[in-house]
Amino acid sequence: MGVLSARSYVDDRPADGVFRVHRDVYSDPELFELEMKYIFERTWNFLTVETQIAKPNDYITTFIGRTPVVVMRDAKGNIGAFLNSCRHKGATVCRFEKGNAKFHVCLYHGWAYDASGKNVSIKQRESADYPAAFDAENHDLIPIAKLASYKGLIFGSLSPDVPPLEEHLGDLKFFIDLHMEQGAQGMEIIPGRVAYTYRGNWKMQLENGQDPYHVDTAHGSFMAIAERRRKGQGNTAAQEQDWQKRNNVQIGAYEFPHGHTSVWHDVAEPERRAVYASLDEIKSRVGPLKAEWMVRMRNAVFFPNLQIADQIVPILRTFRPISVGVTELRSNVIGPIGEAPEKRAARLRQFEDFVNPGGYATPDDITVFADCQVGFGATGVDFLQGYSRGIGASQQGANEEAIEAGLHPVSSVKGHRTQNTETGTHAPFREWVRLMEAGMAGRKAYP
Amino acid sequence: MSLNEVELLAAGADLLAREAAYLDERRWDEWVALFAPDCVYWVPTWTAEGTLTTNPQTELSLMYFAGRGGLEDRIVRIRSGRSPAALPLPRTTHMVGNILPLEKPNSERIRLRSSWTCNAFFPLMNSSHTFFGRAEYELALRGGVWSIAKKKTILENDRIPMPIDIYCL
């Protein structure tokens, strides 16, 4: 087989009301290779949160696509990010998920680097009879091309040809603010990490967060649980929203440039939201508009590797593509620094109940992703039909809520909760086409 | 060890074996009934390679239920027939061993540690996975019957490639 033009995989004809994505986008290993090269390695990726490397010499290891990366704070407190690969034979230099170290010594041949990535030792250098050409080379860890932070979130790019971070984020900054401005003293990642893999393509989790349509079927078992909890039975400490009341609210979606997107919906029981008890303090600090948006359920995507989600409690969930049909997810729960103990506990119970691999939603999601991946084995079919809900309600530019919030989306959708718009998936696929097309044509990702 | 202590530990080991067997045999009501109504069921997460979360009120858990109601929820989910993750239900075999007392048992409280494996076959994926770890139990005598008052389950292989539920732990 062979890869066709990027555009041929996404049938995007707004004038005809058509948006369809070809099944091969999720299952073709050749396309996956190109995605790594032309998407993950040529744009900004979310790396970590500054509070994870708060002290000098703290470090955390992660990946951009398939490239191992270490993010470090050096002795002076400056943040750097480097390819986590020894210059000598390529072994990962930082082998742990996180830690604190003044020096990183490769365990293969003992080359050592300090927390600024500088090579500080080449074992037995004096007796090596190295040629002058070797001495002329730089031996430091290789810094990634771009590194920048916004509201404590650290992003990096393997390619230097990317727009400045804040320009790239655009209105997604608003949705990051809604996460990171909830605490008067800032927000932190709550200790404990959740990492799991599923047998499906990376874009499935990205889309799943933009897909309110699946919730009452894929998570149908939760309806039975919710019914019990209405009667005061079961794990009522989880304080989940009443799903019957949820169906009577407004829903919306925004498409932003650079593949970013967000769906949102109003809540019937704001008092069950983790943010609710602090609303007065939040209003006084960030104003009533942002406070109101913090109460709304939101699920924003930073394309390509981060969900900024708050359907239950605010989380940062990263997708790491392993292969065309295997993806690793990591969920970080964030909470206000200095949060009252009972509120912190309630936040944890809400998360664990639902979006944990042992919760009521995530195991179902990852199982149906695997079902899809099997289904993509079907031959003789081309385009999927899962992107059209809400198109009839789509308007160019900002709608009323967006204007009020000062947002400038490419398009806006609003409707009754059961409209369950699927338009939140369009922006990522439009950017997918743009970046893949640029890559395949040998053009820069950002002209 | 006194004869009484041996009997108490045997009673504890029996309870642990039944807990595992009931899960494998899908005797859900009998499984739930092994737990005290005010039990604590806790599965901490790892914070990195070598350290576990130690406080479920301030740190993340894979599961944390204060009260049997949280376990009853899980059974309602399994029986609902509406959870893709449990359709079909994985077939499981638990093995529980290395049961040792954590303190001298008495006629009101037995504290034990165990090592466990759970081989789970997922028919949907035609694939097996072994979950494994250790557990700490506190058993309490309630109305003449030993019940599980606290269970802390440590999942050693926590980079999870399959959906997890109470029957995998």
Side-chain angles (χ1 to χ4, degrees), chain B residues 144-160:
Chain B
V145 179
W146 286 104
S147 294
I148 301 169
K150 285 183 190 161
K151 182 182 180 189
K152 175 182 169 185
T153 304
I154 295 161
L155 177 65
E156 302 279 8
N157 51 342
D158 72 320
R159 297 282 279 270
I160 305 163

Side-chain angles (χ1 to χ4, degrees), chain A residues 245-266:
Chain A
K245 293 180 188 162
R246 262 172 59 137
N247 279 338
N248 294 315
V249 299
Q250 293 289 308
I251 197 169
Y254 296 127
E255 172 190 6
F256 296 113
H258 300 306
H260 312 321
T261 182
S262 183
V263 294
W264 57 269
H265 64 80
D266 285 323

Side-chain angles (χ1 to χ4, degrees), chain B residues 91-111:
Chain B
R91 304 198 286 256
T92 62
T93 298
H94 284 77
M95 296 298 287
V96 179
N98 302 349
I99 300 171
L100 293 170
L102 290 165
E103 65 181 19
K104 201 172 145 87
N106 61 52
S107 56
E108 287 169 10
R109 189 170 88 160
I110 305 172
R111 291 184 61 230

Side-chain angles (χ1 to χ4, degrees), chain A residues 14 18 102 140 143 162 220 227 231 244 331 354 356 375 383 401 435:
Chain A
V18 172
K102 276 184 191 168
D140 299 339
V162 288
E227 183 68 38
K231 294 183 229 153
Q244 285 182 343
S331 291
F354 208 72
N356 221 7
F383 289 96
E401 283 82 7
L435 287 171

Side-chain angles (χ1 to χ4, degrees), chain A residues 56-237:
Chain A
N57 303 319
D58 278 353
Y59 69 90
I60 191 158
T61 57
T62 184
F63 288 83
I64 294 179
R66 291 176 299 190
T67 301
V69 169
V70 55
V71 189
M72 302 197 275
R73 200 179 278 274
D74 71 15
K76 292 175 190 155
N78 301 314
I79 296 174
F82 306 89
L83 305 187
N84 185 9
S85 179
C86 185
R87 297 301 303 275
H88 179 235
K89 287 284 188 180
T92 50
V93 172
C94 303
R95 301 162 76 245
F96 292 94
E97 290 178 36
K98 59 183 183 178
N100 181 281
K102 276 184 191 168
F103 301 106
H104 299 272
V105 183
C106 179
L107 295 190
Y108 197 2
H109 300 88
W111 285 31
Y113 307 87
D114 70 14
S116 70
K118 188 176 158 43
N119 185 307
V120 291
S121 173
I122 289 171
K123 189 182 71 178
Q124 297 163 359
R125 184 169 194 163
E126 300 71 21
S127 56
D129 293 328
Y130 275 126
F134 178 89
D135 288 332
E137 278 187 273
N138 173 292
H139 308 292
D140 299 339
L141 289 181
I142 298 168
I144 65 168
K146 290 276 183 184
L147 184 68
S149 296
Y150 178 75
K151 294 280 165 82
L153 272 56
I154 304 175
F155 299 84
S157 170
L158 296 177
S159 162
D161 297 321
V162 288
L165 177 66
E166 294 209 22
E167 181 187 321
H168 180 77
L169 290 171
D171 282 343
L172 203 69
K173 287 193 287 185
F174 178 74
F175 290 90
I176 295 174
D177 293 350
L178 297 179
H179 255 47
M180 303 308 284
E181 291 178 355
Q182 291 192 10
Q185 300 159 58
M187 300 291 277
E188 64 187 348
I189 287 183
I190 299 175
R193 65 111 172 80
V194 174
Y196 51 103
T197 53
Y198 65 82
R199 297 181 177 204
N201 186 262
W202 62 277
K203 294 184 291 299
M204 289 182 160
Q205 178 59 46
L206 183 154
E207 281 181 51
N208 179 263
Q210 298 302 303
D211 167 17
Y213 189 38
H214 77 283
V215 174
D216 57 353
T217 41
H219 310 316
S221 78
F222 190 71
M223 300 300 166
I225 309 292
E227 183 68 38
R228 273 165 57 75
R229 293 187 184 167
R230 273 198 290 278
K231 294 183 229 153
Q233 299 166 346
N235 186 23
T236 50

Side-chain angles (χ1 to χ4, degrees), chain A residues 95-98 190-197 199 216-221 223-225 228-229 233-235 320 328 330 333 341 344-345 348-349 351-352 356-360 363-364 366-368 370-371, chain B residues 45-49 53 55-66 68-78 80-87 124-128 158-165:
Chain A
R95 301 162 76 245
F96 292 94
E97 290 178 36
K98 59 183 183 178
I190 299 175
R193 65 111 172 80
V194 174
Y196 51 103
T197 53
R199 297 181 177 204
D216 57 353
T217 41
H219 310 316
S221 78
M223 300 300 166
I225 309 292
R228 273 165 57 75
R229 293 187 184 167
Q233 299 166 346
N235 186 23
R320 177 188 157 205
E328 183 190 74
R330 279 172 180 263
V333 185
R344 177 59 56 94
L348 289 165
R349 297 297 90 80
F351 170 79
E352 290 153 6
N356 221 7
Y360 283 101
D364 294 326
I366 63 177
T367 307
V368 293
D371 290 344
Chain B
T45 63
W46 294 84
T47 57
E49 283 89 349
T53 54
N55 183 351
Q57 308 307 333
T58 58
E59 299 170 309
L60 193 58
S61 303
L62 282 171
M63 289 189 193
Y64 178 81
F65 306 125
R68 197 165 63 187
L71 300 177
E72 292 163 359
D73 281 351
R74 304 304 304 189
I75 306 308
V76 170
R77 171 178 166 88
I78 292 166
S80 73
R82 296 178 68 189
S83 163
L87 285 175
L124 186 73
M125 304 181 195
N126 188 23
S127 180
S128 294
D158 72 320
R159 297 282 279 270
I160 305 163
M162 297 287 182
I164 62 166
D165 208 323

